[in-house]
Every structure is written in structure tokens, then in C-alpha cells.
Amino acid sequence: MSSIKINIQETNNEAIIKFVSNTILVNGGSYEFNNIDEAKNSPLAQQLFYLPFVKKILITANFIAIQRYDIVQWEDVEEEVREQIENYLKEGNTLVIEENTKKDAVEVYAEVTPNPAVMKFGTNKALTQTDVEFKNIEEASKSSPLAKELFSFPFVKEIFISENYVSITKYDMIEWNEVHQEIRTFIRTYIQDGKTIIQELPKQQTKQNVEIPKEDLTDVETKIVDILDEYIKPAVASDGGNIAFQSYDENTKQVRVILQGACSGCPSSTVTLKNGIETMLKDMLPNQINEVVAING
């Protein structure tokens, strides 16, 4: 674990800071601790609660979020906490001890999407805290055992895994009504057995800057990301897709985005991009947006 790196990322809540890891911390799901007694299965969380300003801790797939009491400001202590977390992980210490408990009921449902080639498989279990997309089995092999096994189905073309669903793009060789039940059962059994969903974040995710730290954005870029997060992402997620901010050119006033899941290659995505997203950004950021383009649409 010596190559692990922890970065500080601010949130919209001044009392909460994320300590983001460049590697996967826990496999799927998340762990929330409100006090040291609740943190009995997380040695790191117990250590952090000894810091007098720590109020609440959330451990997810690739970040640890900490809420502080008002007795200090984050700028005075955040670097100390970052180093403590990074050193703890570099030493190979256990982050969370998962107890052997009775298996919870897992539900998986299949939903059609606006893209006829894509079907969304939703679940009542958390799968990942960071959206990931795989175009082929080579990309999946190093990062997601679940995606790798799904690619063993000959009709699977692309896979997108989000917080509580998997969107699968198929080849035209088969119709969804012939295979969706098989895929639904496979995913349900896989999750029920407690198998690994994602073991590390794929490298292409960081290259595409799917989640860019707010401190690296300009004021206009921050406003664009906030609008996408609040108004656009929930709508496209319900259809099994995702839209991620890529860049903004202040000279041409062009916004570049990445379409993922059901949105990627969808026949209606261009209409949605122009009539929906572009129009909203122009209305909410007057004179600052000329057009929105998808770099992979």
C-alpha cells in the first residue's frame, strides 16, 4: 500500500471534508460512524475519533469524509488528518473489519432506457461511490471483477457501474427480452454472494477527470458542475446514464461533457444535450455559454 495517496477535497458543507484515495478503500457500500462506540469494526475510525474535533466519519469506496465540531477550522488541522490517514493506509493496516452476518436480501430489477441498446439493472445495494465505465473486458480485468464476468456474456458490449445500478450496452445480435432475466439473476447472485464489485479505479477515469476537485475549477466551471449535479445528473441517472463535466473554454464559451451508460450512443442524447442541457446552462448562466458538446457522443 506504499503507493497510496490521499488528497483533500472540500465539500459544500464547511464542516465536512473528503480525504480522497487514489485506490479503492472498501469494496462497495459505505460505513458511517457517529461516535467511537459505533466504530468498533474500524480501527482507523476509532483512531480519528480520539481527535477532539471529529464529530462524524463516513468511509466509502474511495474517500473518507469527516465532519468536525466548530471548535476548530479545517484549514488548521486538515493536513495533520490527511497525513494520519495516509500513513495508516501505507502501513497496510485494516480499514474496516467486515463482520460475518446473515446475508441481506438483494433485489435487482431490470429497466428499459431511452437507448434501445442499453438496459439498466438497479439494486437495493450500494455498488460504488465513484461511477466507472468499461468499454471492453481488458479495461474491466484490472478494475472490476463484476464487469469482467459480465463481459463473458457474448452480447455484452459496454458496462457502466454507478452507485446502485449497472447499465449494460448490448450488441445487436440479440434482443433484451431474450436475455435480461439471465443478466438480472446473475447480478443478483453475484451481489448476494458478497463478491468484489470494484477492486481499483480504472486509469481512464482519472484521465477523463470524471470527478474534478472543486478547488481546481474556475468560478464558471464550478457553477456548471453544480447545475449538472443538481438538475441534470438525477434525471439521466434514472435512465441508466451519467453526464460528467470535462472542460470549459472561456474564449469560445464551449462546455465539453462525457456521456456514460445509457447516454453514450443514445439516439436521443443529441436532442437532450441541445434542447435540455444546453438550454438550461444558457438560461442559468447568461452570456457565459455558447454550446455544449459531448466528446464521446
Side-chain angles (χ1 to χ4, degrees):
M1 300 287 285
S2 59
S3 61
I4 196 167
K5 180 72 175 176
I6 298 296
N7 293 309
I8 297 170
Q9 183 176 324
E10 296 179 353
T11 71
N12 293 329
N13 186 332
E14 291 183 356
I16 299 175
I17 269 190
K18 287 183 181 179
F19 296 89
V20 183
S21 171
N22 62 338
T23 62
I24 292 294
L25 299 175
V26 293
N27 173 49
S30 60
Y31 301 85
E32 183 174 311
F33 308 108
N34 295 292
N35 52 60
I36 194 169
D37 293 327
E38 290 185 4
K40 61 183 180 181
N41 65 331
S42 175
L44 174 59
Q46 285 188 318
Q47 281 190 23
L48 292 171
F49 272 119
Y50 281 113
L51 299 173
F53 54 83
V54 171
K55 180 179 182 180
K56 183 183 292 186
I57 299 170
L58 174 69
I59 298 176
T60 73
N62 72 316
F63 68 80
I64 298 170
I66 299 179
Q67 182 176 0
R68 62 167 172 80
Y69 287 106
D70 292 336
I71 59 174
V72 298
Q73 297 299 314
W74 270 122
E75 60 187 22
D76 297 324
V77 295
E78 60 186 22
E79 182 58 28
E80 172 192 345
V81 177
R82 187 199 69 77
E83 288 184 1
Q84 181 174 341
I85 294 173
E86 186 173 275
N87 290 336
Y88 181 94
L89 295 172
K90 281 184 175 180
E91 291 171 0
N93 295 313
T94 301
L95 183 58
V96 175
I97 302 169
E98 298 189 71
E99 299 175 350
N100 292 322
T101 58
K102 183 180 177 180
K103 291 182 179 178
D104 295 327
V106 175
E107 298 176 8
V108 175
Y109 57 90
E111 284 187 358
V112 296
T113 75
N115 187 341
V118 178
M119 183 158 281
K120 173 185 175 181
F121 296 88
T123 176
N124 62 332
K125 297 297 179 183
L127 303 177
T128 176
Q129 294 294 320
T130 302
D131 296 337
V132 289
E133 186 172 44
F134 304 100
K135 299 292 187 180
N136 51 60
I137 193 170
E138 286 76 21
E139 291 181 358
S141 295
K142 297 179 180 179
S143 303
S144 172
L146 170 60
K148 181 182 178 181
E149 291 201 27
L150 285 170
F151 272 117
S152 66
F153 292 92
F155 53 84
V156 171
K157 182 180 180 181
E158 296 177 10
I159 297 168
F160 175 72
I161 304 177
S162 192
E163 181 179 7
N164 62 350
Y165 69 86
V166 180
S167 287
I168 297 178
T169 306
K170 68 172 181 64
Y171 287 105
D172 294 335
M173 61 192 287
I174 206 164
E175 296 300 322
W176 273 121
N177 59 12
E178 300 175 75
V179 295
H180 80 271
Q181 186 60 41
E182 180 183 7
I183 292 292
R184 188 187 74 83
T185 301
F186 173 83
I187 294 174
R188 180 183 179 279
T189 302
Y190 189 98
I191 298 171
Q192 182 79 62
D193 290 344
K195 294 182 179 179
T196 300
I197 308 295
I198 296 170
Q199 61 190 18
E200 67 177 67
L201 295 178
K203 291 183 172 60
Q204 72 268 23
Q205 295 297 120
T206 55
K207 289 181 180 177
Q208 290 181 341
N209 292 323
V210 171
E211 185 175 357
I212 304 172
K214 286 279 181 81
E215 59 266 26
D216 295 338
L217 301 177
T218 65
D219 288 343
V220 175
E221 289 173 337
T222 299
K223 291 176 182 177
I224 292 170
V225 170
D226 287 342
I227 292 171
L228 291 178
D229 287 348
E230 184 173 356
Y231 299 101
I232 307 299
K233 284 192 175 186
V236 297
S238 67
D239 287 333
N242 184 51
I243 181 170
F245 173 75
Q246 171 71 9
S247 64
Y248 169 73
D249 189 316
E250 62 180 11
N251 295 317
T252 63
K253 299 181 180 179
Q254 181 190 76
V255 179
R256 290 159 62 88
V257 297
I258 301 167
L259 299 179
Q260 297 175 307
C263 295
S264 181
C266 177
S268 62
S269 63
T270 301
V271 176
T272 302
L273 201 67
K274 294 297 179 184
N275 295 351
I277 301 169
E278 185 175 282
T279 299
M280 178 178 288
L281 286 174
K282 285 181 176 179
D283 289 344
M284 300 183 76
L285 299 173
N287 303 316
Q288 293 177 310
I289 308 294
N290 279 335
E291 67 170 343
V292 178
V293 298
I295 65 172
N296 62 334

